[in-house]
Coordinates of all heavy atoms in Angstrom, one line a residue:
M1 N -40.1 -21.7 -10.5 CA -39.1 -20.9 -9.7 C -37.8 -21.6 -9.9 O -37.7 -22.8 -9.7 CB -39.4 -20.9 -8.3 CG -38.5 -20.2 -7.5 SD -39.1 -20.0 -5.8 CE -38.2 -18.7 -5.1
S2 N -36.7 -20.9 -10.3 CA -35.5 -21.5 -10.6 C -34.5 -21.3 -9.3 O -34.5 -20.2 -8.8 CB -34.9 -20.8 -11.8 OG -33.5 -21.3 -12.0
V3 N -33.8 -22.4 -8.9 CA -32.9 -22.2 -7.9 C -31.5 -22.5 -8.4 O -31.3 -23.6 -9.0 CB -33.3 -23.3 -6.8 CG1 -32.2 -23.3 -5.7 CG2 -34.6 -23.1 -6.3
D4 N -30.6 -21.6 -8.2 CA -29.2 -21.7 -8.7 C -28.4 -22.1 -7.4 O -28.5 -21.4 -6.4 CB -28.7 -20.4 -9.2 CG -29.4 -20.0 -10.6 OD1 -29.8 -20.9 -11.3 OD2 -29.7 -18.8 -10.8
F5 N -27.6 -23.1 -7.6 CA -26.7 -23.5 -6.6 C -25.3 -22.9 -6.9 O -24.8 -23.0 -8.1 CB -26.6 -24.9 -6.4 CG -28.0 -25.6 -6.0 CD1 -28.9 -26.1 -6.7 CD2 -28.2 -25.5 -4.5 CE1 -30.0 -26.6 -6.2 CE2 -29.4 -26.0 -4.0 CZ -30.3 -26.5 -4.9
V6 N -24.6 -22.7 -5.9 CA -23.2 -22.1 -6.2 C -22.2 -23.3 -6.0 O -22.4 -24.1 -5.1 CB -22.8 -21.1 -5.0 CG1 -21.3 -20.7 -5.0 CG2 -23.7 -20.0 -5.0
N7 N -21.4 -23.5 -6.9 CA -20.4 -24.5 -7.0 C -19.3 -24.2 -5.9 O -18.4 -23.4 -6.2 CB -19.9 -24.8 -8.3 CG -19.0 -26.1 -8.4 OD1 -18.9 -26.7 -7.4 ND2 -18.4 -26.2 -9.7
L8 N -19.3 -25.0 -4.8 CA -18.2 -24.8 -3.7 C -17.1 -25.8 -3.9 O -16.4 -25.9 -2.9 CB -18.8 -24.6 -2.4 CG -19.9 -23.6 -2.2 CD1 -20.3 -23.6 -0.8 CD2 -19.1 -22.2 -2.4
S9 N -17.0 -26.5 -4.9 CA -16.1 -27.7 -5.0 C -14.6 -27.0 -5.1 O -14.5 -25.9 -5.7 CB -16.2 -28.6 -6.1 OG -16.1 -27.8 -7.3
M10 N -13.7 -27.7 -4.6 CA -12.3 -27.1 -4.5 C -11.3 -28.3 -4.9 O -11.4 -29.4 -4.2 CB -11.9 -26.6 -3.2 CG -10.5 -26.0 -3.2 SD -10.1 -25.2 -1.6 CE -11.1 -23.7 -1.6
T11 N -10.4 -28.1 -5.9 CA -9.4 -29.0 -6.2 C -8.2 -28.8 -5.3 O -8.1 -27.8 -4.6 CB -9.0 -28.8 -7.7 OG1 -8.4 -27.5 -7.7 CG2 -10.1 -28.7 -8.7
R12 N -7.4 -29.9 -5.3 CA -6.2 -29.9 -4.6 C -5.4 -28.6 -4.9 O -4.7 -28.0 -4.1 CB -5.5 -31.2 -4.8 CG -5.2 -31.9 -3.4 CD -4.5 -33.1 -3.6 NE -5.2 -34.1 -4.3 CZ -4.8 -35.3 -4.8 NH1 -3.5 -35.5 -4.6 NH2 -5.6 -36.1 -5.4
R13 N -5.3 -28.4 -6.1 CA -4.4 -27.4 -6.7 C -4.8 -26.0 -6.2 O -4.0 -25.1 -5.7 CB -4.4 -27.3 -8.3 CG -3.6 -26.3 -8.8 CD -3.6 -26.4 -10.3 NE -2.9 -27.7 -10.6 CZ -2.1 -27.8 -11.6 NH1 -1.8 -26.9 -12.4 NH2 -1.5 -29.1 -11.9
K14 N -6.2 -25.8 -6.2 CA -6.7 -24.5 -5.5 C -6.4 -24.4 -4.1 O -6.1 -23.3 -3.6 CB -8.2 -24.4 -5.9 CG -8.7 -24.1 -7.4 CD -10.1 -24.0 -7.4 CE -10.5 -23.7 -8.9 NZ -12.0 -23.6 -9.0
L15 N -6.6 -25.5 -3.4 CA -6.3 -25.4 -2.0 C -4.8 -25.1 -1.7 O -4.5 -24.3 -0.9 CB -6.6 -26.8 -1.4 CG -6.4 -27.0 0.1 CD1 -7.3 -26.1 1.0 CD2 -6.5 -28.4 0.5
I16 N -3.9 -25.7 -2.4 CA -2.4 -25.5 -2.2 C -2.2 -24.0 -2.7 O -1.4 -23.3 -2.0 CB -1.7 -26.4 -3.0 CG1 -1.7 -27.9 -2.4 CG2 -0.1 -26.0 -3.1 CD1 -1.2 -29.0 -3.3
K17 N -2.7 -23.5 -3.7 CA -2.5 -22.2 -4.1 C -3.0 -21.2 -3.0 O -2.3 -20.2 -2.7 CB -3.1 -21.8 -5.4 CG -2.5 -22.3 -6.7 CD -3.2 -21.9 -7.9 CE -2.6 -22.4 -9.1 NZ -3.4 -22.0 -10.4
G18 N -4.1 -21.4 -2.5 CA -4.7 -20.6 -1.5 C -4.0 -20.6 -0.2 O -3.7 -19.5 0.5
A19 N -3.4 -21.8 0.2 CA -2.5 -21.9 1.4 C -1.2 -21.1 1.2 O -0.8 -20.5 2.2 CB -2.3 -23.4 1.6
A20 N -0.7 -21.3 -0.1 CA 0.6 -20.6 -0.3 C 0.4 -19.0 -0.3 O 1.3 -18.3 0.4 CB 1.1 -21.0 -1.6
C21 N -0.7 -18.5 -0.9 CA -1.1 -17.2 -0.8 C -1.2 -16.5 0.6 O -0.8 -15.6 1.0 CB -2.3 -16.7 -1.7 SG -2.0 -16.9 -3.4
S22 N -2.0 -17.5 1.4 CA -2.2 -17.1 2.8 C -0.9 -17.0 3.6 O -0.7 -16.1 4.4 CB -3.2 -18.1 3.5 OG -4.4 -18.1 2.8
A23 N 0.0 -17.9 3.4 CA 1.3 -18.0 4.1 C 2.1 -16.8 3.7 O 2.8 -16.1 4.6 CB 2.0 -19.2 3.8
A24 N 2.1 -16.4 2.4 CA 2.9 -15.2 1.9 C 2.3 -14.0 2.5 O 3.0 -13.0 2.9 CB 3.0 -15.2 0.4
T25 N 1.1 -13.9 2.5 CA 0.4 -12.7 3.1 C 0.7 -12.6 4.6 O 0.9 -11.5 5.2 CB -1.0 -12.7 2.8 OG1 -1.3 -12.8 1.4 CG2 -1.7 -11.5 3.4
A26 N 0.7 -13.7 5.3 CA 0.9 -13.7 6.8 C 2.3 -13.3 7.1 O 2.5 -12.7 8.2 CB 0.5 -15.1 7.4
S27 N 3.3 -13.7 6.3 CA 4.6 -13.5 6.6 C 5.1 -12.1 6.1 O 6.3 -11.6 6.5 CB 5.5 -14.6 6.0 OG 5.5 -14.5 4.6
A28 N 4.4 -11.4 5.2 CA 4.9 -10.1 4.7 C 5.1 -9.1 5.7 O 6.1 -8.5 5.6 CB 3.8 -9.7 3.7
P29 N 4.4 -8.9 6.7 CA 4.7 -7.8 7.7 C 6.0 -8.1 8.4 O 6.7 -7.1 8.7 CB 3.5 -7.9 8.6 CG 2.4 -8.4 8.0 CD 3.0 -9.4 7.0
S30 N 6.3 -9.2 8.7 CA 7.6 -9.6 9.4 C 8.8 -9.3 8.5 O 9.9 -9.0 9.0 CB 7.7 -11.0 9.8 OG 7.7 -11.9 8.9
L31 N 8.7 -9.4 7.2 CA 9.8 -8.9 6.2 C 10.2 -7.4 6.4 O 11.2 -7.2 6.4 CB 9.5 -9.4 4.9 CG 9.3 -10.8 4.7 CD1 8.8 -11.1 3.2 CD2 10.5 -11.6 5.0
V32 N 9.1 -6.7 6.5 CA 9.4 -5.2 6.6 C 9.9 -4.9 8.0 O 10.9 -4.1 8.1 CB 7.9 -4.5 6.5 CG1 8.1 -3.0 6.7 CG2 7.4 -4.7 5.1
N33 N 9.5 -5.5 9.1 CA 10.1 -5.3 10.3 C 11.6 -5.6 10.4 O 12.3 -5.0 11.1 CB 9.3 -5.9 11.4 CG 7.8 -5.3 11.7 OD1 7.6 -4.2 11.3 ND2 6.9 -6.1 12.1
H34 N 11.8 -6.8 9.7 CA 13.2 -7.2 9.7 C 14.1 -6.2 9.0 O 15.3 -6.0 9.4 CB 13.3 -8.6 9.0 CG 14.6 -9.2 8.9 ND1 15.4 -9.6 10.1 CD2 15.5 -9.4 7.8 CE1 16.5 -10.1 9.7 NE2 16.6 -10.0 8.4
A35 N 13.6 -5.7 7.9 CA 14.5 -4.6 7.2 C 14.7 -3.4 8.0 O 15.7 -2.9 8.1 CB 13.7 -4.2 5.9
F36 N 13.7 -3.0 8.8 CA 13.8 -1.8 9.7 C 14.7 -2.1 10.8 O 15.6 -1.3 11.2 CB 12.5 -1.4 10.3 CG 11.6 -0.6 9.4 CD1 10.3 -1.0 9.1 CD2 12.1 0.5 8.8 CE1 9.5 -0.1 8.4 CE2 11.4 1.3 7.9 CZ 10.0 1.0 7.6
A37 N 14.7 -3.4 11.4 CA 15.6 -3.8 12.4 C 17.1 -3.7 11.9 O 18.0 -3.3 12.7 CB 15.2 -5.2 12.9
E38 N 17.3 -4.1 10.7 CA 18.7 -4.1 10.2 C 19.2 -2.6 10.1 O 20.3 -2.3 10.4 CB 18.7 -4.8 8.8 CG 18.6 -6.2 8.9 CD 18.6 -6.9 7.6 OE1 18.6 -6.3 6.6 OE2 18.7 -8.1 7.5
Q39 N 18.3 -1.8 9.6 CA 18.6 -0.3 9.4 C 18.9 0.3 10.8 O 19.9 1.1 11.0 CB 17.5 0.4 8.7 CG 17.4 0.0 7.3 CD 16.2 0.8 6.6 OE1 15.5 1.4 7.2 NE2 16.2 0.7 5.3
I40 N 18.1 0.0 11.9 CA 18.3 0.5 13.2 C 19.6 0.0 13.7 O 20.4 0.8 14.3 CB 17.2 0.1 14.1 CG1 15.9 0.9 13.6 CG2 17.4 0.5 15.5 CD1 14.6 0.4 14.3
A41 N 19.9 -1.3 13.5 CA 21.2 -1.8 14.1 C 22.4 -1.1 13.4 O 23.4 -0.9 14.0 CB 21.2 -3.3 13.9
K42 N 22.2 -0.9 12.2 CA 23.4 -0.1 11.3 C 23.5 1.4 12.0 O 24.6 1.8 12.1 CB 23.0 -0.2 9.9 CG 24.0 0.5 9.0 CD 23.6 0.6 7.6 CE 24.4 1.6 6.8 NZ 23.9 1.9 5.5
L43 N 22.4 1.9 12.2 CA 22.5 3.3 12.7 C 23.0 3.3 14.1 O 23.8 4.2 14.4 CB 21.2 4.0 12.6 CG 20.6 4.4 11.3 CD1 19.2 4.8 11.3 CD2 21.5 5.4 10.6
E44 N 22.8 2.3 14.9 CA 23.3 2.3 16.3 C 24.7 2.1 16.3 O 25.4 2.6 17.0 CB 22.5 1.2 17.0 CG 21.2 1.7 17.5 CD 20.4 0.6 18.2 OE1 20.7 -0.6 18.1 OE2 19.4 0.9 18.9
K45 N 25.2 1.3 15.4 CA 26.6 1.1 15.2 C 27.5 2.4 14.9 O 28.6 2.6 15.1 CB 26.9 0.1 14.2 CG 26.6 -1.4 14.7 CD 27.0 -2.4 13.6 CE 26.6 -3.8 14.0 NZ 26.8 -4.8 13.0
E46 N 26.7 3.3 14.2 CA 27.4 4.5 13.8 C 27.2 5.7 14.8 O 27.6 6.7 14.6 CB 26.6 5.1 12.5 CG 26.9 4.2 11.3 CD 26.0 4.7 10.1 OE1 25.3 5.6 10.1 OE2 26.2 3.9 9.0
G47 N 26.6 5.3 15.9 CA 26.5 6.2 17.0 C 25.1 6.8 17.3 O 24.9 7.7 18.2
W48 N 24.2 6.5 16.6 CA 22.9 7.0 16.7 C 22.1 6.2 17.9 O 22.5 5.1 18.2 CB 21.9 6.7 15.5 CG 22.3 7.6 14.3 CD1 23.4 7.5 13.5 CD2 21.6 8.7 13.8 NE1 23.5 8.4 12.5 CE2 22.3 9.2 12.7 CE3 20.3 9.2 14.1 CZ2 21.8 10.4 12.0 CZ3 19.9 10.4 13.5 CH2 20.7 10.8 12.4
S49 N 21.2 6.9 18.5 CA 20.5 6.1 19.5 C 19.0 6.4 19.3 O 18.5 7.4 18.8 CB 20.8 6.7 21.0 OG 20.5 8.0 21.1
K50 N 18.2 5.4 19.7 CA 16.8 5.6 19.5 C 16.0 6.0 20.7 O 16.5 5.7 21.8 CB 16.2 4.2 18.9 CG 16.5 3.0 19.8 CD 15.9 1.7 19.2 CE 16.4 0.4 20.0 NZ 15.9 -0.7 19.5
H51 N 15.0 6.8 20.5 CA 14.2 7.5 21.5 C 12.8 7.1 21.3 O 12.2 7.5 20.2 CB 14.4 8.9 21.7 CG 15.8 9.3 21.8 ND1 16.5 9.2 23.0 CD2 16.7 9.7 20.9 CE1 17.7 9.6 22.9 NE2 17.9 9.9 21.7
P52 N 12.0 6.4 22.2 CA 10.6 6.1 21.9 C 9.9 7.3 22.0 O 10.1 8.3 22.8 CB 10.2 5.2 23.1 CG 11.4 5.1 24.0 CD 12.5 5.8 23.3
V53 N 8.9 7.6 21.1 CA 8.1 8.7 20.9 C 6.6 8.4 20.9 O 6.3 7.2 20.5 CB 8.3 9.7 19.8 CG1 9.8 10.1 19.8 CG2 8.2 8.8 18.5
A54 N 5.7 9.2 21.3 CA 4.3 8.9 21.3 C 3.8 9.2 19.9 O 2.8 8.7 19.4 CB 3.6 9.6 22.4
C55 N 4.3 10.3 19.3 CA 3.8 10.8 18.0 C 4.4 9.9 17.0 O 5.6 9.9 16.8 CB 4.1 12.2 17.7 SG 3.7 12.8 16.1
T56 N 3.6 9.2 16.1 CA 4.2 8.4 14.9 C 4.2 9.2 13.7 O 4.6 8.7 12.6 CB 3.4 7.2 14.9 OG1 2.0 7.5 14.6 CG2 3.4 6.3 16.1
M57 N 3.8 10.5 13.7 CA 3.8 11.2 12.4 C 5.0 11.8 11.9 O 5.5 11.6 10.9 CB 2.8 12.4 12.6 CG 1.3 12.0 12.8 SD 0.7 10.9 11.4 CE 0.7 12.2 10.1
C58 N 5.9 12.2 12.9 CA 7.1 12.9 12.5 C 8.4 12.2 13.1 O 9.4 12.3 12.6 CB 7.1 14.4 12.9 SG 7.0 14.6 14.6
G59 N 8.2 11.6 14.2 CA 9.4 10.9 14.8 C 10.3 11.7 15.7 O 11.4 11.3 16.1
L60 N 9.9 13.0 15.9 CA 10.7 13.9 16.6 C 10.5 13.7 18.1 O 9.3 13.4 18.6 CB 10.5 15.3 16.2 CG 10.9 15.7 14.8 CD1 10.4 17.1 14.5 CD2 12.3 15.5 14.6
T61 N 11.4 14.0 18.9 CA 11.2 13.9 20.4 C 11.2 15.3 21.0 O 11.7 16.3 20.3 CB 12.3 13.1 21.1 OG1 13.6 13.7 20.8 CG2 12.3 11.7 20.7
A62 N 10.6 15.5 22.1 CA 10.5 16.8 22.7 C 11.9 17.1 23.4 O 12.6 16.2 23.9 CB 9.5 16.8 23.9
A63 N 12.3 18.4 23.2 CA 13.6 18.7 23.9 C 13.5 18.8 25.3 O 12.5 19.3 25.9 CB 13.9 20.2 23.2
S64 N 14.5 18.2 26.0 CA 14.4 18.3 27.4 C 15.3 19.3 28.1 O 16.2 19.8 27.4 CB 14.8 16.8 28.0 OG 16.1 16.5 27.4

């Protein structure tokens, strides 16, 4: 019966690459939110106002 072992050794280089990829992945959502915040601030300066809505599909508010 043959037993195959998995090589789980990790070099310093692989560890640093993995940490850098993890950090980039973790910070990616905040970059998108920052871009939206800048666009919203620009529109508010132009006179637009934001209205919270429950439906996230179209972004329309109910007429009051």
Side-chain angles (χ1 to χ4, degrees):
M1 179 174 200
S2 173
V3 177
D4 293 325
F5 291 100
V6 177
N7 184 4
L8 296 177
S9 65
M10 180 175 287
T11 63
R12 234 182 292 170
R13 182 174 295 220
K14 286 182 183 179
L15 179 67
I16 292 171
K17 283 182 182 179
C21 288
S22 296
T25 303
S27 68
S30 65
L31 296 175
V32 174
N33 291 337
H34 182 67
F36 281 128
E38 288 178 354
Q39 289 178 352
I40 290 170
K42 179 182 167 189
L43 290 172
E44 286 177 339
K45 287 179 184 177
E46 295 175 0
W48 289 71
S49 61
K50 54 185 171 180
H51 302 280
V53 296
C55 172
T56 60
M57 295 300 292
C58 60
L60 297 174
T61 59
S64 53

